[in-house]
Amino acid sequence: MEPAGMDYFCDQVQQKDVGRRMQVGQELLEYLSDPARSSDLEQDQQRLDKVIDELTGWVNSSNFKVALLGLDVLGAFVDRLSGRFKPYIGTVLLPLIDRMGDAKDQVREQAQNLILKLMDEAAPPM
């Protein structure tokens, strides 16, 4: 089944099942990497807000694989939206800072890399 777009992902990111989250996360990464396919990304601001909020919950997940996938997807959103991601920095920054104290090295490094990416792309100096 080909995902319809942001409507589809808005519903799917709310799934609590780990296996389903892993599948939806990969689909969302593919969707964001193809600008032609994801042309509806910013059409509905409330829908985008909801997806980012749900992904922030993924970052806070106790399952480190879900947390890593959440970090990957948020990174893809930063890449795609660049400076337009700025309104979401406040939403994602605290969970990222919390993850910098995670027991898993991989999660700590990924959280740090995403913070650096936010600084470079979404909120550059000046």
Side-chain angles (χ1 to χ4, degrees), residues 8-29 32 50-75 77 91-92 95-96 98-99 102 107 114:
Y8 169 81
F9 290 116
C10 189
D11 292 335
Q12 296 301 312
V13 294
Q14 298 176 47
Q15 301 288 327
K16 299 299 179 201
D17 177 62
V18 172
R20 185 71 189 123
R21 279 186 171 183
M22 299 302 288
Q23 180 183 352
V24 168
Q26 290 302 322
E27 291 173 4
L28 189 49
L29 284 171
L32 290 171
K50 190 173 184 178
V51 170
I52 299 288
D53 285 344
E54 286 294 329
L55 288 170
T56 301
W58 287 25
V59 171
N60 283 327
S61 174
S62 59
N63 184 312
F64 87 98
K65 289 182 180 180
V66 172
L68 284 171
L69 188 56
L71 290 165
D72 280 344
V73 175
L74 284 173
F77 269 106
T91 305
V92 300
L96 291 177
D98 285 346
R99 280 305 192 175
D102 197 273
V107 174
L114 185 51

